Amino acid sequence: MNLKRPAPTLYDVAVAADVSTATVSRCMNFPDQVAKKTYYKVMAAIKELGYSPNFGAKAMAARRTNTIGAIIPTMENAMFARGLEAFQKELRLHGFTMLVASTSYRPDVEEEQIRSLVARGADALLLIGHEREADIYRFLETQGVPSLITWVFDEKITQPSVGFDNRVAMMEMAMKVIEFGHTRLGFISAITFQNDRAAARLDGIKDAMKSAALNTSDLSVIETNYGIDEGAKAFDSLMGNGPRPTAVLCGNDVLAVGALRRARELKIAVPQDVSIIGFDDIELAQVAYPSLTTVRVPHRDMGRRAGHILADHVKNGTPLKSLQLKTEIILRETLAPVKT
Amino acid sequence: MNLKRPAPTLYDVAVAADVSTATVSRCMNFPDQVAKKTYYKVMAAIKELGYSPNFGAKAMAARRTNTIGAIIPTMENAMFARGLEAFQKELRLHGFTMLVASTSYRPDVEEEQIRSLVARGADALLLIGHEREADIYRFLETQGVPSLITWVFDEKITQPSVGFDNRVAMMEMAMKVIEFGHTRLGFISAITFQNDRAAARLDGIKDAMKSAALNTSDLSVIETNYGIDEGAKAFDSLMGNGPRPTAVLCGNDVLAVGALRRARELKIAVPQDVSIIGFDDIELAQVAYPSLTTVRVPHRDMGRRAGHILADHVKNGTPLKSLQLKTEIILRETLAPVKT
DNA sequence: TTGTATGCGTTATCAA
DNA sequence: TTGATAACGCATACAA
């Protein structure tokens, strides 16, 4: 039941300091519009009572919250964590607070979280990927809440976005792999259903194979959930049946590291017997043994810039603009020329 | 600037559905107290207008938010991310929403975040570690916001807490290391200033050495920030000057993995030349090569239980209770008997 | 420089 | 089953 003694309000402070509520309010929001003496008196009362303004009331009266929401699939993924940390730091610089919510990759939960953050008065939203029901974008529209898509840049989409071209990034990586002489490729993919990033990365590999005149039927794809063990299992079945690929690309570093572990368990030498390639370049990649060849995604930069763009939009009305960031191929030890 | 067309309100819906605002409110909160026909009419209007209740107003009128806040040092640490993910899932089960904020390990930021979450109407708070200004606990007291400490269990503290005994956990690990014959120990610690967990772990090592009649002056300690590179650097200086330790314990797995990397770079064989021991058992630990001997902390379980206890307290008034969880020594490849 | 009065969007009490 | 209406805690236009 939780019967808590009501917290002190503006009114309580006003009474204690023997001024009006308006003056107390001014002390907090426009300290220089109030006489110094009054100011000190009021601040003393505030401290004395342990007063803290009620956010809801404040938001309602002021009609803005200085809050920006971020909705990500999961916090248990270092790349999102990194991007968000940078996003938050940037927002803080502009006087905004970040609200995070995670969805476990479930669209229904995402919708719920979007509604929740909007209801909480988020002045704007950061979203991951652009693929979601048109309803949702309409909802944001009618609520007047601007949103910025990240982790994705695609000229074809209309929403403003800050990110990279997942398809091209993966294509470049796959081309590099093909340059090393590999023709039988394997791909351990994240679930592509309702995940535009995962789908684009798969397409990127196919693009590369086609442009190298390889037969895309020589690409074995396994879709799996996020996790080291999942990557290991996927690697297992990839190596199990039919002709083995000589290079296994992965939708992210975590899957790749799982594959790496299983390769070690199976006594398959990396990169002598098989090359393994990741995506994201999280810390795991350089620590893995052998160290992981992967695609570096500028997560921190992405977060920082997204924060800047959104804050600037909300504060100054600067239109939201899209921004394409570059990825980079990081050659480490797990990619080697194919054995001849 | 940001001139957004005002979002539809309860009143707008009431007008559209030709009922009173009270009825609309009831439709959303107590659907069975209203005639079916009216209900459908109202729901249609809600959908039509894209209405979404205003959280602030709702909180103010209802005097509760069904929101529980969590404040952690950083999201860029897998162990917090894991714990929080579990915490959130548990809260969802009870109908609560989680609000996260991170502090970058800065007490001033933490205080700010605490005030912010309280202002936002958090019904309760989850905090990491117990060491903070008495002022803050007083503030929470006067605001009537219950809080639960996690990641720490210590009989001596009065705040309810769900966690483990950092000192004992590390002591047990150190005793195991000593059992393996090591006498010259090194410790790569997180910054102990204003961080009770880090300080307790250091004390734990000293406890173990004392109980084994070792001289604690044979323990070289280096404090450093969080990060793989930081761990590497610390390892460097630990191996650089004076008699080398034969075993290096680390305050967390990330530091340990950094040490591991530098050992490889320096051609120091692990565990033949030096043993390296982590703490936390995040995924990194089993993926590292050689795989990392470490202390397993039940992060998920901790998050889950904290969620349960807090939800139960807020909803049903069940008193907050402390809970001590067990850690476990995970022996992997990086710890071996000392060379004789 | 300060105070008064009103409205923000919702819930909840009380009548109808 | 429904409707009027009074809170809720704050910001702000306006008056003093």
Side-chain angles (χ1 to χ4, degrees), chain A residues 1-2 4-5 7 49-57 60 67 74-76 81-82 84-85 88-89 92 97-100 102 104 109 112-113 115 119-120 123 139 141-144 228 257 261 264 283-284 286-289 300 314-317, chain B residues 1-2 4-5 7-8 49-57 60 67 74-76 81-82 84-85 88-89 92 97-100 102 104 109 112-113 115 119-120 139 141-144 228 257 261 264 283-284 286-289 300 314-317:
Chain A
M1 286 289 67
N2 183 30
K4 34 182 179 183
R5 166 173 27 73
L49 294 177
Y51 167 76
S52 168
N54 177 306
F55 180 82
M60 202 161 45
T67 292
T74 171
M75 290 185 291
E76 285 201 56
R82 252 203 236 175
L84 274 206
E85 194 80 25
Q88 183 189 32
K89 277 189 185 147
R92 254 181 75 84
T97 305
M98 177 184 75
L99 245 43
V100 221
S102 68
S104 310
V109 177
E112 186 185 316
Q113 302 284 29
R115 289 182 183 280
R120 288 187 135 79
D123 293 330
F139 170 73
E141 185 74 24
T142 77
Q143 293 288 330
I228 291 183
V257 163
R261 194 191 69 194
R264 193 152 67 218
E283 287 189 323
L284 210 53
Q286 40 163 317
V287 166
Y289 183 78
R300 289 211 176 78
V314 174
K315 267 211 299 207
N316 312 317
Chain B
M1 295 279 72
N2 189 25
K4 31 182 180 184
R5 165 172 28 72
L49 294 178
Y51 167 77
S52 167
N54 177 305
F55 180 81
M60 202 162 45
T67 292
T74 170
M75 291 185 290
E76 286 200 56
R82 250 202 236 175
L84 274 205
E85 193 82 25
Q88 182 188 32
K89 278 190 185 145
R92 253 180 76 84
T97 305
M98 175 184 77
L99 245 42
V100 221
S102 68
S104 310
V109 177
E112 187 184 316
Q113 301 284 29
R115 290 184 183 279
R120 285 189 138 79
F139 170 74
E141 185 74 25
T142 75
Q143 293 289 328
I228 290 184
V257 163
R261 195 192 68 195
R264 193 153 68 219
E283 287 189 323
L284 211 53
Q286 40 163 313
V287 165
Y289 182 78
R300 289 211 175 77
V314 174
K315 268 211 299 207
N316 312 317

Side-chain angles (χ1 to χ4, degrees), chain A residues 2-19:
Chain A
N2 183 30
L3 22 137
K4 34 182 179 183
R5 166 173 27 73
T9 73
L10 242 208
Y11 179 78
D12 298 326
V13 176
V15 170
D18 194 31
V19 296

Side-chain angles (χ1 to χ4, degrees), chain A residues 146-312:
Chain A
S147 61
L148 183 62
I149 307 297
T150 55
W151 254 264
V152 149
F153 180 91
D154 183 339
E155 288 169 348
K156 293 196 292 295
I157 67 177
T158 53
Q159 281 79 23
S161 67
V162 172
F164 56 98
D165 190 318
N166 283 272
R167 183 166 180 165
V168 168
M170 188 53 116
M171 186 195 69
E172 290 171 354
M173 184 77 251
M175 301 244 290
K176 178 65 76 181
V177 170
I178 293 170
E179 264 177 42
F180 272 70
H182 297 275
T183 54
R184 288 199 316 280
L185 307 184
F187 183 42
I188 301 180
S189 173
I191 308 289
T192 55
F193 179 64
Q194 293 175 325
N195 182 332
D196 46 20
R197 285 93 62 213
R201 291 176 196 179
L202 174 55
D203 289 340
I205 296 182
K206 290 182 180 165
D207 289 349
M209 294 183 81
K210 280 177 198 152
S211 87
L214 293 180
N215 193 332
T216 56
S217 65
D218 283 343
L219 173 68
S220 339
V221 179
I222 294 198
E223 290 199 7
T224 185
N225 285 312
Y226 182 80
I228 291 183
D229 288 338
E230 277 64 24
K233 265 181 234 148
F235 184 78
D236 235 359
S237 44
L238 222 44
M239 299 318 265
N241 36 13
R244 287 185 172 182
T246 60
V248 174
L249 293 107
C250 303
N252 58 60
D253 286 346
V254 168
L255 291 176
V257 163
L260 210 53
R261 194 191 69 194
R262 181 51 52 92
R264 193 152 67 218
E265 290 162 5
L266 298 175
K267 313 277 187 209
I268 297 177
V270 178
Q272 293 79 8
D273 297 337
V274 63
S275 288
I276 293 183
I277 293 94
F279 199 108
D280 283 340
D281 194 28
I282 59 177
E283 287 189 323
L284 210 53
Q286 40 163 317
V287 166
Y289 183 78
S291 61
L292 195 62
T293 291
T294 189
V295 177
R296 173 172 299 167
V297 173
H299 296 115
R300 289 211 176 78
D301 200 36
M302 200 155 60
R304 211 171 44 73
R305 285 167 180 272
H308 185 82
I309 290 176
L310 275 177
D312 199 27

Side-chain angles (χ1 to χ4, degrees), chain B residues 96-154:
Chain B
F96 285 89
T97 305
M98 175 184 77
L99 245 42
V100 221
S102 68
T103 67
S104 310
Y105 285 98
R106 284 176 44 190
D108 56 328
V109 177
E110 190 195 39
E111 174 162 2
E112 187 184 316
Q113 301 284 29
I114 289 178
R115 290 184 183 279
S116 164
L117 289 186
V118 168
R120 285 189 138 79
D123 293 330
L125 245 43
L126 174 138
L127 301 172
I128 308 291
H130 78 277
E131 189 174 304
R132 49 182 63 79
E133 302 270 338
D135 267 2
I136 298 184
Y137 289 115
R138 266 201 297 278
F139 170 74
L140 289 173
E141 185 74 25
T142 75
Q143 293 289 328
V145 176
S147 61
L148 184 62
I149 308 298
T150 57
W151 254 267
V152 148
F153 180 91
D154 183 340

Side-chain angles (χ1 to χ4, degrees), chain B residues 30 55 58-67 121 123:
Chain B
F30 311 96
F55 180 81
K58 191 166 171 162
M60 202 162 45
R63 287 113 150 290
R64 67 192 138 65
T65 59
N66 283 348
T67 292
D123 293 330

